[in-house]
Amino acid sequence: TINTFIRFNYMNKKISLPESINDITLYQYQKYIALTKREDLDDLSFNKRLICIFTDLKFREAELISFKD
């Protein structure tokens, strides 16, 4: 697991990013598979939801992340 910080406009939050399949739960994997089957999301929404699945961020928090990189 990689620990990193994300800076929001109003706060910093520490998140953990999985490095391997051993770092994710079955529930996270199942949510990921369900997400990949959705056809109604644009790339940005897909990526934000992906971040939410594999971190403890809520979608509202992911909305505040700048995706410039």
Side-chain angles (χ1 to χ4, degrees):
T1 303
I2 299 172
N3 291 319
T4 190
F5 285 97
I6 290 183
R7 184 169 302 220
F8 297 98
N9 292 336
Y10 62 93
M11 63 180 263
N12 293 331
K13 184 164 185 163
K14 182 178 178 181
I15 62 167
S16 297
L17 302 173
E19 287 185 87
S20 73
I21 193 76
N22 296 327
D23 293 336
I24 65 170
T25 65
L26 177 59
Y27 178 74
Q28 288 172 318
Y29 180 73
Q30 290 170 332
K31 295 284 283 183
Y32 168 73
I33 294 300
L35 180 63
T36 61
K37 293 179 181 178
R38 290 189 61 177
E39 297 179 1
D40 62 321
L41 300 173
D42 60 25
D43 288 343
L44 185 58
S45 293
F46 177 88
N47 288 332
K48 287 178 180 180
R49 291 175 192 278
L50 188 63
I51 289 170
C52 293
I53 290 171
F54 293 115
T55 67
D56 291 331
L57 290 178
K58 296 185 178 14
F59 190 75
R60 282 177 272 139
E61 295 172 318
E63 287 282 303
L64 299 174
I65 300 171
S66 173
F67 284 88
K68 294 177 185 173
D69 298 331

